Amino acid sequence: MYSFDSRVRYSETDEKGTLSVTAAVNYFQDCSTFQSEDVGRGVRYFEEHGRAWWLSSWQIVFDRCPALGEPIVIATYPYDFRGIYGYRNFMILDRDGNYLVRANSVWFLYDLKEGRPVRVTEEDVRPYGDLKAEPLPMDYAAGKLETLKEYREEKRLVVGRHHIDTNHHMNNARYAEIAAEFLPENFQVGELRMEYRKAAVLGDVIVPRIGQSGGGITVELYSPAGERYGAAWFLEKRGKV
């Protein structure tokens, strides 16, 4: 397991003074990036080898969102590799080791030169050490998010420079950030599922579609031509205080 310590910053909190959904996703991305950099499989390595790990999906469970100033530990470990896919768990813990946020993620290895996914080899995963770890205890989602049959469209937005990362795509956390803007006031997220389909790039137009599904709220992000960039499903936390 790889981890680093932090403290919830004011810039990472929402209007309730607790860690925001976007900040949690950013912490997870940072944690896996730090691990990759430390084992010699970082951004520069993949640029030189013409490859990239691209995110396919998240499932994030919010047990308790830590508050402003609270010390936290962010941790991650890959637990399986099959075919083109890699599977990685994440967690945010309090100072006593209790789960605050837990996540599962699915990634795929992409050959930038060939423009297609490629199978993961032993050389790709050896630097990460022992890969026989047990998956994090949580109720894992089965299947993909359903496409909305009934929805309302919201105002279109354009992908700007502040959305773009080193892959020259809209950063993974930005999809969740955009989708969360359409949640009702005082909606407390208990679980987020996020799926990525087509990478949005600078200047792309995004058409949000919002509807009810599976007991939660789904926000789909489409192009004007009907291509799906991604979708987020939010389940409201039960027993809110």
Side-chain angles (χ1 to χ4, degrees):
M1 184 181 297
Y2 182 92
S3 67
F4 71 96
D5 297 335
S6 190
R7 187 180 180 192
V8 178
R9 301 168 177 84
Y10 183 75
S11 59
E12 298 168 340
T13 59
D14 56 21
E15 60 186 2
K16 299 183 291 296
T18 56
L19 188 73
S20 70
V21 170
T22 305
V25 176
N26 278 327
Y27 265 129
F28 292 153
Q29 290 189 139
D30 290 343
C31 194
S32 59
T33 300
F34 289 161
Q35 183 182 28
S36 294
E37 292 289 339
D38 287 354
V39 301
R41 290 295 187 271
V43 172
R44 179 171 296 180
Y45 172 87
F46 280 104
E47 286 178 349
E48 292 174 350
H49 288 76
R51 290 189 170 191
W53 279 106
W54 285 358
L55 185 59
S56 177
S57 66
W58 286 108
Q59 181 190 6
I60 305 176
V61 175
F62 295 85
D63 297 298
R64 178 177 72 80
C65 287
L68 171 64
E70 186 172 346
I72 54 176
V73 178
I74 302 89
T76 186
Y77 62 93
Y79 64 87
D80 196 11
F81 294 91
R82 296 195 301 267
I84 65 172
Y85 294 104
Y87 301 81
R88 179 181 281 272
N89 283 144
F90 293 86
M91 66 206 81
I92 299 177
L93 309 167
D94 66 14
R95 67 176 68 197
D96 297 318
N98 299 308
Y99 294 125
L100 299 175
V101 187
R102 294 170 291 158
N104 186 50
S105 61
V106 182
W107 306 71
F108 61 94
L109 189 59
Y110 196 81
D111 189 312
L112 298 171
K113 297 176 181 178
E114 297 293 332
R116 61 180 177 82
V118 291
R119 292 183 64 85
V120 180
T121 67
E122 183 180 349
E123 176 63 23
D124 295 317
V125 302
R126 185 185 302 115
Y128 294 98
D130 182 16
L131 299 177
K132 297 181 180 179
E134 290 293 322
L136 191 67
M138 56 185 285
D139 292 329
Y140 288 81
K144 295 184 178 295
L145 296 178
E146 296 182 3
T147 301
L148 289 173
K149 296 180 175 61
E150 297 183 2
Y151 56 85
R152 72 178 192 277
E153 284 192 1
E154 289 289 346
K155 184 178 179 180
R156 299 179 178 191
L157 57 97
V158 178
V159 178
R161 294 190 183 279
H162 63 287
H163 293 121
I164 303 299
D165 61 19
T166 57
N167 291 313
H168 307 292
H169 299 156
M170 188 163 75
N171 185 265
N172 297 320
R174 297 297 190 179
Y175 294 81
E177 181 178 57
I178 290 171
E181 285 294 312
F182 300 103
L183 294 175
E185 187 176 0
N186 298 321
F187 187 100
Q188 186 174 345
V189 180
E191 182 176 342
L192 163 64
R193 291 180 61 190
M194 188 85 211
E195 293 178 358
Y196 303 88
R197 183 75 57 82
K198 174 182 170 60
V201 298
L202 183 65
D204 278 350
V205 175
I206 293 178
V207 183
R209 298 177 180 178
I210 298 88
Q212 302 280 339
S213 66
I217 296 175
T218 294
V219 180
E220 299 175 330
L221 305 177
Y222 277 87
S223 75
E227 296 175 296
R228 187 174 178 178
Y229 293 116
W233 177 81
F234 299 90
L235 183 66
E236 191 166 16
K237 192 172 185 62
R238 307 302 180 195
K240 298 186 297 179
V241 295

